[in-house]
Each structure stands twice: as structure tokens, then as C-alpha cells.
Amino acid sequence: MPVISVPYAFNEEDLYVDLEPMTGHRLFLKCEGFNFAGSIKLKAATEMVESAERNGILTRDSILVESSSGNLGVALSVIAASKGYRFVCVTDSRCNLAARLMMEALGSQVHVVSDEHAAGGLLGARLAHLRELCAADDRYVWLSQYTNPDNWRAHYGRTAPAIARRFPQLDVLFIGVGTTGTLMGCARWFRAWHRPVRIIAVDSVGSAIFGHPPGRRMIPGLGMSVRPPLLDESYVDEAVRVEEADAIRACRHLAERGFLFGGSTGTVVSGATSWLDRHATPGLTPVAIAPDLGERYLDTIYQSNWVEALYDDDALPPPVERDDGRTDREEHASDGLLP
């Protein structure tokens, strides 16, 4: 058992879930949420901060500032608290309440923007607010996860080699996309590997990453309203888009087996399953990356009222009839769990 003195020193790197009993396909899910930040974003946050320190960009008087939909903000909050930096996270109304409360508990300030930017939506509004902060005080240091190459270098140096060690016969790798840091780091590493690996990017419907028009997205984590500057499509073999209702169904299906994952993970699992439905061949070794766990989504994707209000009943499994003739939803309503 490791003994650590700083929270970012611990990250479980070699835990996988065999999803075949749940998906009907051979599929291994790399779990990245078992660290003190609760998501894969701890890797990018650590790499970006330590690189800025090595280059003299961060000093004792610096104030870290970053745009995040939640997970990176929590990761930077963990690191900032440990290293003694002040941190301001600029987010928007889609950020989960749990993530905002975690950041504040760790001593960070959270600025929530609610009005969309004319050109870039909520992300554009967040970036505009960031620029205003940096222009007003030169102590602010913006790491810029959207353009910072240390974002993908974290996964080039750690995530991809870890997968290769565990699965030397890897054939297909499914990676959810937002800033595309995980995608580009892993894709670059496997491009030079001893055997070809198909890199499948999993995106959300409503995301503009691969040239589609931006649309409504209510689940934070994956997708962007603009094309990410880090993206190089020459490293991507195929992109799969997933409806948010399908991501929610995937999360709830996994939860029925005791695995509580986040919305990003549900998106990746849904995308991987649909791809395997079309392309699976005997002996294929596919791996999908699960960016986060599900505790921060208890009041959204695991809350039936929230889901029904946004997606009708499409994202919910059919009601299960009990022995007394009532459905599980009727039972929850009579217990005060549903209105």
C-alpha cells in the first residue's frame, strides 16, 4: 500500500472492469476516477501545473485561473490546496453542484457565468471572463487546458503506456473527447507502437468538435461548442457521436450492476457499444477509458425528475412491476422520493 504526503501523488492506474456481462461485447473499461480528484483530469492538471512551475510561470504570488465544466476544476483545486496556490475556477450553469461544492471546500473560488457569448456559447462566455480577470491582475496565471500541450503530454506519458502494459494485444481504443487532451496523448503514443490500434473518438451530440453545429448539451465533461485547438484529426480513425439520453441509459445500466459512473463514462460506454455492435469480430481486444465516477451526478443523471424534465422518458429504463402490482416509480413516489 502506498504512503503519500500530497494528494496528487496517488492515482490508481491499473483497474479495469470487464463489461462483457453488461454489454454483450468483449470490452474492458479503464477506470480513471480512483484518486483524490475523482477523475482523469488529475493527470492533466498535475502536468500543466508542474510544467508551469518548471518554466517559472507559476510563482508564490501567482493565482491559478482556469475554465472548467467541473472535473478539471476539482483537480486543480486539489493541487492548489496542496501546493498553497489560490485558484479561481470559471464555470457555467451546467457544472454539477457537487463539483462546485468540492472546489469551494478545497478553498477555491468558483465564478459561474450564465449568459451565453454571442459567438461561443457558454464556453465563449467563460473564456471572455477569464480574459477579463487576467487583464485586470497580472498575478493570474491561466493554464489554458484547451491549448496547453501539457494536457495531452500527461496522457502520452502515463495513460497510453499503462494501457499498453496491461493489453499488449490491444486492437481498439475508445476515448471520450472534450479538450481532446486524452485523445491526442493516447493517439500519438499508439501511432508509434509495435501494432496498429484503431483510435475511436466518442463525442456528444450537440458538440462541434468534429464540425457539427453546436447544440444543447446538459451533461458536463465531454463535447465542446468549438473545435478544440489541440485536435489533430489525422490521428483519429473514426468519431462516434452519442445522444445524451443514450449516455444516461448506459450509466443507469451500469449502476444496476453496482458500477456508479459519471456522464462522461456513460457516453464512452454507449459509443463503444454501438461501434462494437457494427464492427465486432471474434478475438478483438477493445478498451474504453472511463474518465470519472458517478457521485457528482446523483442530482442529475441519476435523478429521475431531472432526466424526465430534459429528455422525457426516453433516457429512463422501463418501470419494473413489483409483486403488489405497482411499478418501481410508483413505489418511490409513495415513499416521497418522487413527486
Side-chain angles (χ1 to χ4, degrees):
M1 178 177 293
V3 176
I4 63 173
S5 57
V6 292
Y8 51 90
F10 171 76
N11 187 64
E12 172 54 56
E13 190 71 274
D14 198 32
L15 177 64
Y16 295 80
V17 176
D18 181 357
L19 292 183
E20 186 168 7
M22 288 159 272
T23 65
H25 295 289
R26 190 177 190 225
L27 177 62
F28 301 98
L29 187 65
K30 186 181 194 305
C31 301
E32 290 280 356
F34 291 98
N35 56 56
F36 284 97
S39 81
I40 195 172
K41 289 292 189 177
L42 184 63
K43 291 177 178 177
T46 302
E47 187 71 23
M48 290 190 295
V49 168
E50 293 188 342
S51 176
E53 289 174 332
R54 289 191 300 269
N55 293 325
I57 298 171
L58 274 176
T59 68
R60 292 179 60 184
D61 297 327
S62 297
I63 303 172
L64 282 168
V65 63
E66 184 57 88
S67 162
S68 170
S69 61
N71 282 341
L72 184 75
V74 173
L76 285 172
S77 295
V78 168
I79 296 169
S82 177
K83 289 178 173 286
Y85 295 116
R86 291 170 58 191
F87 171 55
V88 177
C89 179
V90 180
T91 188
D92 60 57
S93 53
R94 292 173 301 184
C95 179
N96 292 330
L97 176 61
R100 285 156 53 186
L101 293 176
M102 289 180 70
M103 288 186 268
E104 291 171 347
L106 290 162
S108 301
Q109 292 183 337
V110 181
H111 294 188
V112 181
V113 301
S114 56
D115 295 329
E116 295 191 9
H117 191 274
L122 287 171
L123 175 59
R126 278 156 47 182
L127 298 182
H129 185 69
L130 271 169
R131 295 186 183 100
E132 291 173 1
L133 290 175
C134 293
D137 191 333
D138 60 10
R139 291 177 301 167
Y140 283 111
V141 174
W142 178 15
L143 297 173
S144 186
Q145 63 162 325
Y146 309 106
T147 61
N148 192 330
D150 290 315
N151 185 346
W152 66 259
R153 287 182 184 128
H155 304 287
Y156 185 93
R158 295 185 59 183
T159 307
I163 295 170
R165 286 192 299 270
R166 180 63 180 80
F167 293 94
Q169 300 302 312
L170 178 68
D171 294 302
V172 186
L173 182 59
F174 299 95
I175 307 169
V177 291
T179 65
T180 67
T182 307
L183 173 71
M184 297 315 303
C186 290
R188 282 186 168 93
W189 196 92
F190 279 109
R191 177 64 62 89
W193 204 33
H194 69 90
R195 58 182 281 121
V197 174
R198 289 186 63 84
I199 301 296
I200 310 298
V202 183
D203 197 10
S204 299
V205 171
S207 167
I209 289 178
F210 291 100
H212 298 90
R216 187 188 77 162
R217 289 180 295 112
M218 301 304 298
I219 301 174
L222 297 187
M224 282 184 65
S225 56
V226 297
R227 178 185 172 88
L230 295 179
L231 176 63
D232 182 343
E233 289 191 53
S234 68
Y235 288 94
V236 181
D237 292 295
E238 188 176 343
V240 175
R241 302 173 76 225
V242 175
E243 295 278 0
E244 288 190 328
D246 292 328
I248 293 169
R249 275 193 292 270
C251 285
R252 286 171 169 254
H253 182 55
L254 293 171
E256 289 172 355
R257 300 297 186 95
F259 294 104
L260 196 70
F261 285 107
S264 298
T265 298
T267 304
V268 173
V269 170
S270 178
T273 302
S274 67
W275 190 93
L276 290 169
D277 285 340
R278 300 189 303 273
H279 300 286
T281 57
L284 195 72
T285 299
V287 169
I289 297 177
D292 57 2
L293 302 178
E295 292 92 336
R296 295 171 199 172
Y297 300 82
L298 294 178
D299 61 344
T300 54
I301 63 176
Y302 292 107
Q303 217 291 327
S304 295
N305 292 338
W306 185 89
V307 174
E308 288 175 337
L310 292 171
Y311 309 97
D312 299 320
D313 289 336
D314 292 343
L316 294 175
V320 177
E321 186 171 317
R322 307 296 183 181
D323 292 338
D324 60 3
R326 294 187 302 171
T327 67
D328 55 342
R329 294 185 199 172
E330 291 168 340
E331 181 179 7
H332 289 162
S334 67
D335 291 338
L337 299 178
L338 295 175

